[in-house]
Amino acid sequence: MPVAKRLAIDADTSDEAEPLRAGIQSVEVGFELLDALSQAQGALMLRDLAAAANMSAAKAHRYLVSFQRMGLVVQDPVSTRYDLGPAALRIGLATLARIDAVKLARERIDALLSETGHTLAIAVWGNQGPTMVHWTEAPQTVPVTLRLGDVMPLLTSATGRCFAAFMGSEGRDAQRIAPMVRDELARLKKLPRNGDLSLVDVPQSMQEVQAMLDDTRQRGLARVVHSLLPGVGGFCAPVFDAQGRLALGLVVLGSVATLDTDWQGAPASALLRCARQLSADLGHGPTQPRP
């Protein structure tokens, strides 16, 4: 092939490749505007939106014109503020509809297991209460006599306390959980304490129940030590969906001889980080109110 013709072909190929690279980069740059809008609490002025996306107002405006044509962004004609449009909503709803919360949580278990070194579980609300649906035992740990399908008590398990705290504060869930809490409390009151270590952390009145649940909400996760099983401690962190509802509970538990049961300990911190990331992946925003 003549050298001139080969150089011409190479030049054509280069011309085609360059717009492709620029186009991909432009998508990434433009996405910063959509990402800024998604994290904002409301519509934004052009200058504020551009600043959030780290670009000039003139550059941001060019992207926004295209996004408006696509329905990804809308502009209020009175306030001139920009917000996410109907196309962005359709994409978000389609994504949420395809997310399986339990499947997503199971995909994180191995990494969390390596980080905590303790048995992990996933619980969801079933017909009878919080129910274990996934279980992964850490190697070289004391076996815990729980099984898949087990329904956890609301007041003596970290899982139950988590669901009671984050599901039972209002609405129909509260109406469903409240009588279950009262029945369980009545049964616990009949048990002879006599210095029983497993009952030290168990509430004895509705006032103590409320204080425990308020503390759980404030800390963002639930804990038990000895209450579920003698010698066993555990935490349960809530995972919320896009509507702010409790989707599942993420659980870590183990022998109190090896599990750090401090609220600020490594297992609790790792569990809480994972639960918050899962909530974000399910569409729950950091400023979104929780039950």
Side-chain angles (χ1 to χ4, degrees), residues 13-245:
T13 302
S14 177
D15 289 343
E16 292 176 359
E18 183 58 34
L20 179 62
R21 286 195 293 270
I24 293 174
Q25 184 180 14
S26 296
V27 170
E28 294 174 354
V29 172
F31 176 77
E32 295 297 326
L33 291 165
L34 299 176
D35 190 44
L37 280 174
S38 72
Q39 297 186 44
Q41 296 186 11
L44 296 175
M45 298 291 291
L46 174 60
R47 64 176 181 273
D48 298 324
L49 179 54
N54 296 313
M55 66 179 71
S56 69
K59 183 177 181 180
H61 183 261
R62 291 196 296 272
Y63 281 101
L64 291 169
V65 169
S66 294
F67 287 154
Q68 283 180 269
R69 292 171 182 164
M70 300 163 64
L72 290 170
V73 169
V74 293
Q75 184 182 27
D76 186 284
V78 177
S79 68
T80 71
R81 294 174 182 267
Y82 292 92
D83 207 346
L84 293 173
L89 176 61
R90 288 195 299 271
I91 293 171
L93 291 175
T95 301
L96 291 173
R98 295 171 188 172
I99 292 178
D100 183 330
V102 174
K103 180 177 181 293
L104 195 63
R106 290 179 64 177
E107 293 172 353
R108 314 293 170 87
I109 288 295
D110 288 344
L112 188 58
L113 186 66
S114 299
E115 189 172 0
T116 64
H118 291 279
T119 296
L120 299 168
I122 300 170
V124 300
W125 186 267
N127 293 334
Q128 304 298 320
T131 306
M132 292 296 181
V133 295
H134 181 76
W135 189 266
T136 300
E137 280 196 357
Q140 301 178 347
T141 58
V142 177
V144 180
T145 55
L146 293 175
R147 299 167 299 176
L148 292 181
D150 278 351
V151 178
M152 307 307 295
L154 293 176
L155 300 181
T156 58
S157 71
T159 305
R161 292 180 179 185
C162 180
F163 276 81
F166 294 104
M167 276 185 67
S169 58
E170 59 184 27
R172 286 180 296 179
D173 289 334
Q175 297 174 4
R176 178 170 45 180
I177 290 176
M180 297 172 65
V181 169
R182 288 194 294 267
D183 290 345
E184 188 174 326
L185 181 63
R187 292 193 298 271
L188 290 171
K189 285 182 176 180
K190 296 178 181 178
L191 297 178
R193 304 225 163 206
N194 299 329
D196 190 341
L197 190 61
S198 66
L199 296 176
V200 170
D201 190 35
V202 175
Q204 301 183 55
S205 66
M206 284 304 299
Q207 288 78 11
E208 291 185 4
V209 169
Q210 191 58 54
M212 179 190 71
L213 298 181
D214 287 343
D215 183 61
T216 298
R217 295 185 191 102
Q218 183 176 1
R219 294 181 182 276
L221 77 166
R223 180 188 71 175
V224 294
V225 181
H226 298 297
S227 301
L228 177 62
L229 294 168
V232 172
F235 294 91
C236 182
V239 174
F240 300 97
D241 64 16
Q243 286 73 45
R245 296 178 303 221

